[in-house]
Amino acid sequence: MASAVVAAGRWIGELLTKEAKLLSGVEDQVKEIVIDLQQMRRFIIYADENQDRQTHSIRNLVAQIREAALHAEDVILRFVVEVELRKDG
């Protein structure tokens, strides 16, 4: 599961950074979001590798962070698609 999050996040981060350059004033904010998502992915990978040491509450926290990261990436992807549609339209 972590590898899917990492691969999707990397692709979305690259795409989002390219799009942010086209939108004045948001490039720095986009870079911060990409960094946050990278940190979340690293945490998810670490947590997946150390599942045997986790308590029930830690597993729940990992699941919540995974959900938040995937949701953030979905929102970003929708934003990028919207920007592309507006450029074409």
Side-chain angles (χ1 to χ4, degrees):
M1 177 60 139
S3 61
V5 173
V6 171
R10 194 171 292 135
W11 176 79
I12 290 171
E14 290 171 7
L15 184 60
L16 188 58
T17 301
K18 290 176 187 173
E19 288 299 324
K21 290 178 181 175
L22 301 175
L23 303 169
S24 63
V26 298
E27 186 174 358
D28 290 339
Q29 293 170 337
V30 168
K31 287 179 182 178
E32 289 176 21
I33 292 170
V34 170
I35 289 168
D36 289 344
L37 288 171
Q38 289 169 342
Q39 291 173 339
M40 292 169 97
R41 283 193 303 274
R42 281 194 292 273
F43 175 77
I44 291 168
I45 290 168
Y46 174 81
D48 284 346
E49 291 171 350
N50 295 285
Q51 286 182 4
D52 56 326
R53 295 187 232 159
Q54 294 176 7
T55 64
H56 180 71
S57 59
I58 298 278
R59 279 189 291 254
N60 285 339
L61 178 61
V62 170
Q64 290 172 357
I65 291 171
R66 182 178 284 122
E67 280 277 321
L70 292 173
H71 178 72
E73 290 173 348
D74 286 346
V75 170
I76 291 166
L77 185 56
R78 277 186 255 139
F79 170 77
V80 170
V81 168
E82 185 67 30
V83 168
E84 285 298 318
L85 289 174
R86 288 184 183 187
K87 284 194 309 192
D88 292 340

